[in-house]
């Protein structure tokens, strides 16, 4: 293939298109971050509060629901893919881009419990196709697929700060290889995780050396059997929790399909009520239960002692409910709220005998994201890069695979209705299954 001039030209074009896509992704993320800081932190301080008051989420979430409902009803592309269907690598058109941007720039800063990754993927792919059209690249199905995937990968890599995550995530989301990819990849991933766990354990327990690529950097405390036992219990719990959060999101999609504007406002306001109940129950800022959870996860990891058991339980309960409502009614990505819920569950169980904060949060995030996205390899890579701890890789792999298998075996819930423009897919859809609206083929 590399010997073919058309493919080489396409490869160069993809590299060039990555420049404007990455620039847009940068300013898009900066805008969302600045708006979130303005709405949830600066405005309350300007009005004389130390933090946003308990009722703060109600108004912004109602406004977000109204704007997103209008975008979904009246604009091409319906504001992007339904987040209850996970991530998607295609399906966007040039005409859909304005709706995607409006829904994201209004909904996400006002408190929607979703992340920016889905709008970035949609806009990255759509912008790449738009630019290709301007320079008159041949409009063929293959060209569209390659350029759209390249633009989406460039945008998502800017978000995660690593090109490896973007490439692997888009590979799994796009379903390259079909069902056989998962049939081969999942056992290989599990076997490699078990092999690493046993090998690491024997190195620590016997004290014998085999030779390695160790650079001499400081290493964290070694894993032990209690870590493995707790992960085997933690991963199924998170798989079930996240699966039913997405199932609730599916039912929310069916509810908002009728009288979309009104019902989207009701669901967004309901999410605001959940955020408000968290603030009332804990006395903490409602911002912790709102938004994607990215900033709150960093605060939790750096200062877990600031969170009581009651606060962790409350944020798991109320953010999960708000997340489920937003998955079916708003527009955004499902990755960061899933990461936060997994991290919060890990922090909650970290004091268990023989466990610890780093392995607990790492395994929790891997299990949660794997159940949410159904892309186990990407979940492992993302969590390992976030944690930056090679000692936990085996636990991360086991948690991701166990969670993925359990979530796949659970009842998928109702099918999502077919959208007139961009077809959404359901949370039980994996890259190998195709759109959730049609019958899913059997996975090997």
């Amino acid at each position: 293939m590399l010997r073919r001039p058309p493919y080489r030209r396409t490869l160069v074009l993809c590299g060039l298109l990555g420049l404007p896509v990455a620039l847009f992704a940068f300013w898009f993320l900066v805008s969302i971050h600045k708006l979130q800081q303005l709405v949830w932190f600066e405005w309350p301080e300007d009005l004389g509060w130390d933090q946003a008051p308990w009722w703060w989420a109600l108004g912004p979430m109602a406004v977000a629901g109204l704007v997103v409902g209008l975008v979904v009803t009246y604009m091409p592309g319906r504001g992007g893919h339904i987040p209850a269907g996970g991530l998607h690598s295609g399906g966007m058109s040039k005409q859909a881009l304005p709706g995607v941007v409006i829904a994201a720039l209004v909904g996400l800063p006002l408190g929607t419990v979703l992340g920016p990754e889905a709008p970035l993927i949609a806009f990255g792919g759509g912008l790449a196709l738009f630019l290709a059209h301007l320079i008159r690249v041949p409009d063929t199905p293959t060209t569209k697929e390659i350029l759209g995937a390249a633009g989406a990968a460039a945008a998502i890599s800017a978000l995660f700060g690593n090109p490896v995550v973007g490439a692997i995530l888009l590979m799994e989301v796009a379903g390259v290889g079909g069902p056989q990819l998962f049939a081969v990849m999942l056992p290989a991933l599990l076997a490699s995780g078990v092999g690493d766990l046993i090998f690491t354990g024997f190195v620590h327990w016997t004290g014998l050396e085999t030779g390695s690529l160790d650079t001499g950097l400081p290493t964290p405390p070694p894993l032990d059997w209690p870590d493995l036992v707790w992960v085997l219990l933690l991963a199924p719990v998170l798989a079930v929790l996240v699966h039913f959060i997405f199932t609730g999101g599916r039912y929310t999609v069916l509810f908002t399909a009728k009288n979309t504007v009104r019902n989207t406002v009701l669901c967004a306001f309901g999410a605001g009520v959940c955020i408000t109940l968290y603030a009332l129950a804990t006395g903490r800022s409602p911002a912790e239960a709102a938004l994607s959870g990215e900033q709150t996860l960093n605060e939790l990891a750096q200062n877990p002692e600031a969170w009581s058991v009651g606060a962790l339980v409350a944020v798991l309960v109320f953010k999960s409910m708000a997340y489920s409502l937003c998955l079916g009614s708003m527009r955004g990505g499902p990755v960061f709220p899933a990461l936060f819920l997994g991290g919060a569950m890990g922090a909650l169980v970290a004091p268990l005998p023989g466990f610890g904060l780093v392995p607990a949060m790492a395994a929790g995030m891997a299990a949660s994201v794997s159940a949410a996205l159904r892309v186990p390899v990407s979940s492992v890579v993302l969590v390992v890069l976030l944690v930056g701890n090679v000692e936990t890789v085996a636990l991360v792999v086991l948690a991701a695979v166990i969670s993925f298998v359990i979530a796949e075996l659970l009842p998928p819930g109702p099918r999502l209705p077919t959208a007139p423009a961009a077809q959404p897919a359901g949370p039980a859809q994996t890259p190998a299954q195709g759109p959730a609206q049609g019958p899913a083929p059997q996975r090997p």
Side-chain angles (χ1 to χ4, degrees):
M1 187 178 296
L2 288 173
R3 297 181 184 277
R4 299 175 183 175
Y7 182 81
R8 292 199 297 268
R9 287 195 295 268
T10 302
L11 191 62
V12 172
L13 179 60
C14 288
L16 295 175
L17 290 176
L19 297 174
V21 170
L23 287 174
F24 166 79
F26 172 79
W27 290 112
F28 178 81
L29 293 172
V30 167
S31 300
I32 289 179
H33 177 73
K34 292 294 185 182
L35 289 171
Q36 288 177 344
Q37 294 294 314
L38 181 69
V39 173
W40 291 91
F41 301 99
E42 295 181 18
W43 282 355
E45 290 179 1
D46 292 341
L47 294 173
W49 288 293
D50 293 332
Q51 63 183 28
W54 60 268
W55 46 264
W56 190 262
L58 298 175
M61 286 301 294
V63 173
L66 176 61
V67 172
V68 172
L70 291 172
V71 168
V72 171
T73 304
Y74 297 109
M75 296 192 71
R78 301 173 62 84
H81 294 295
I82 298 175
L87 289 177
H88 303 262
S89 62
M92 282 291 101
S93 63
K94 300 184 291 291
Q95 294 78 12
L97 298 184
V100 171
V101 174
I102 292 172
L105 287 179
V106 174
L108 297 181
L110 292 181
T112 299
V113 187
L114 295 169
E117 61 277 5
L120 272 179
I121 289 176
F123 202 91
L127 181 60
L129 294 176
F130 175 72
L131 295 174
H133 175 73
L134 289 181
I135 60 177
R136 299 186 179 183
V137 174
D139 189 9
T140 65
T142 302
T143 302
K144 285 184 176 180
E145 183 177 357
I146 293 176
L147 294 180
I156 204 69
S157 296
L159 171 63
F160 291 119
N162 192 291
V164 176
V165 177
I168 294 178
L169 183 62
L170 264 295
M171 182 180 69
E172 282 194 287
V173 167
V176 178
Q180 278 200 319
L181 174 68
F182 276 81
V184 174
M185 183 175 58
L186 195 64
L189 181 64
L190 177 59
S192 64
V194 173
D196 181 61
L197 183 69
I198 298 301
F199 185 86
T200 303
F202 269 91
V203 169
H204 289 310
W205 299 328
T206 64
L208 300 176
E209 296 183 1
T210 61
S212 70
L213 297 177
D214 187 6
T215 58
L217 294 173
T219 57
L223 300 177
D224 209 340
W225 284 109
D227 295 313
L228 176 61
V229 172
W230 292 126
V231 167
L232 293 177
L233 297 175
L234 175 63
V237 171
L238 278 168
V240 173
L241 172 64
V242 173
H243 175 78
F244 283 106
I245 288 173
F246 273 76
T247 300
R250 282 173 164 270
Y251 283 104
T252 304
V253 173
L254 299 182
F255 176 69
T256 57
K258 302 175 182 178
N259 202 331
T260 299
V261 176
R262 183 198 68 187
N263 291 347
T264 300
V265 172
L266 289 176
C267 289
F269 186 79
V273 170
C274 296
I275 296 166
T276 300
L277 291 175
Y278 167 77
L280 284 172
T282 63
R284 300 173 69 95
S285 172
E288 294 174 349
L291 307 172
S292 67
E294 180 182 2
Q295 180 174 336
T296 310
L297 179 62
N298 292 335
E299 296 171 357
L300 174 61
Q302 294 171 11
N303 191 18
E305 295 81 8
W307 292 71
S308 65
V309 172
L312 288 172
V313 172
V315 78
L316 282 168
V317 171
F318 293 114
K319 195 176 185 76
S320 294
M321 292 191 294
Y323 183 29
S324 186
L325 288 169
C326 291
L327 281 169
S329 60
M330 306 299 284
R331 292 298 183 265
V335 175
F336 288 106
L339 277 171
F340 175 81
L341 292 177
M345 181 69 80
L348 180 64
V349 302
L352 290 170
F355 219 2
L357 182 67
V358 174
M361 289 190 68
M365 289 189 290
S368 184
V369 174
S370 185
L373 302 185
R374 312 297 168 86
V375 284
V377 175
S378 297
S379 302
V380 169
V381 173
L382 174 59
V383 172
V384 168
L385 291 174
L386 286 176
V387 175
N389 184 343
V390 296
E391 287 286 318
T392 60
V393 171
L395 296 183
V396 167
V397 169
L398 292 179
V401 173
I402 292 170
S403 179
F404 173 80
V405 171
I406 291 176
E408 282 290 288
L409 295 177
L410 290 171
R415 293 183 180 274
L416 302 186
T418 302
Q423 288 190 347
Q429 175 192 344
T430 65
Q433 288 178 314
Q437 292 82 357
Q442 296 295 319
R443 172 172 293 160

